[in-house]
C-alpha cells in the first residue's frame, strides 16, 4: 500500500483538495468555488451545506484525477476519524443496606447481580452520599470502536 496525503483546504470563496505522494509530489488538485451571500453591506455569509458538498466534490474529483486507489485514500481517512466510545457494562450491584461510617462516609452493602452465585460487597463512592436501599449501581468499561466510512 502506498503512502498518500489527501489535503482539504477550506477558503473563504472556494474549497480545494490536493493529493500528495510519499515524496510530497502533487498527484492531483481540484478547486470549486461556492456562493458568497451578502445580507448587508460589509457582511458575507455561506451556506454550510454548499461548503460541505463542494469539499466532497473536490475530494472525489482529485481522487479520480490522481488514479490513486480509492481503498488507500479510504484507509487513510478512516485512520483520522475519532473512535466512537462505547460503554460496556461490566457489573451491576443492588444496594441492600446503607451504613454511615465516621471518617469514611456512606458505605453501601450490595449484592453483585452479574454472577451465577450472588456475591456481597461494600461500596463507598467519593463525593456521593445519597445512596439509598434499592439503588442499582453499574460498573462499566469504555471501549473505543473504530469508525469506518
Amino acid at each position: 500500500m502506498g503512502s498518500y496525503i489527501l489535503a482539504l483546504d477550506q477558503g473563504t470563496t472556494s474549497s480545494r483538495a490536493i493529493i500528495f505522494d510519499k515524496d510530497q509530489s502533487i498527484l492531483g488538485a481540484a478547486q470549486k468555488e461556492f456562493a458568497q451571500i451578502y445580507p448587508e453591506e460589509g457582511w458575507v455569509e455561506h451556506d454550510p451545506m454548499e461548503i460541505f458538498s463542494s469539499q466532497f466534490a473536490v475530494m472525489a474529483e482529485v481522487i479520480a484525477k490522481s488514479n490513486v486507489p480509492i481503498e488507500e485514500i479510504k484507509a487513510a481517512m478512516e485512520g483520522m476519524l475519532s473512535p466512537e466510545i462505547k460503554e460496556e457494562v461490566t457489573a451491576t450491584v443492588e444496594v441492600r443496606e446503607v451504613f454511615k461510617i465516621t471518617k469514611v462516609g456512606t458505605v453501601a452493602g450490595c449484592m453483585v447481580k452479574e454472577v451465577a452465585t450472588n456475591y456481597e460487597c461494600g461500596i463507598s463512592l467519593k463525593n456521593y452520599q445519597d445512596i439509598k436501599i434499592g439503588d442499582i449501581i453499574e460498573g462499566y468499561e469504555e471501549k473505543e470502536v473504530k469508525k469506518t466510512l
Side-chain angles (χ1 to χ4, degrees):
M1 193 176 272
S3 297
Y4 301 97
I5 296 172
L6 171 60
L8 300 175
D9 173 48
Q10 188 56 62
T12 305
T13 60
S14 68
S15 298
R16 179 186 315 239
I18 304 172
I19 291 184
F20 299 91
D21 66 12
K22 63 183 175 189
D23 299 320
Q24 300 175 358
S25 298
I26 295 175
L27 300 179
Q31 181 174 354
K32 181 176 175 65
E33 292 187 356
F34 50 85
Q36 307 297 299
I37 304 165
Y38 301 100
E40 291 185 33
E41 181 69 32
W43 289 23
V44 65
E45 293 180 356
H46 301 103
D47 177 353
M49 291 310 296
E50 186 178 2
I51 292 173
F52 175 80
S53 65
S54 69
Q55 277 288 355
F56 190 82
V58 294
M59 182 175 60
E61 181 181 337
V62 76
I63 289 170
K65 282 181 178 179
S66 68
N67 295 319
V68 172
I70 188 69
E71 286 304 314
E72 294 194 29
I73 298 295
K74 181 181 174 189
M77 291 174 66
E78 285 178 345
M80 294 188 305
L81 296 173
S82 297
E84 186 175 339
I85 305 299
K86 296 265 187 182
E87 293 178 359
E88 185 175 297
V89 175
T90 57
T92 302
V93 298
E94 179 183 354
V95 176
R96 297 282 179 96
E97 190 65 53
V98 177
F99 306 94
K100 303 285 186 187
I101 300 175
T102 308
K103 296 185 181 180
V104 173
T106 303
V107 175
C110 301
M111 185 68 67
V112 179
K113 303 181 86 155
E114 245 77 55
V115 292
T117 306
N118 290 329
Y119 290 100
E120 295 179 357
C121 68
I123 295 177
S124 176
L125 303 173
K126 187 175 181 176
N127 298 324
Y128 189 79
Q129 301 299 316
D130 192 28
I131 299 171
K132 299 179 288 301
I133 294 173
D135 282 352
I136 301 294
I137 301 171
E138 287 184 339
Y140 65 92
E141 181 180 357
E142 289 184 344
K143 294 195 173 192
E144 288 186 358
V145 178
K146 182 180 173 183
K147 289 185 183 176
T148 59
L149 298 175

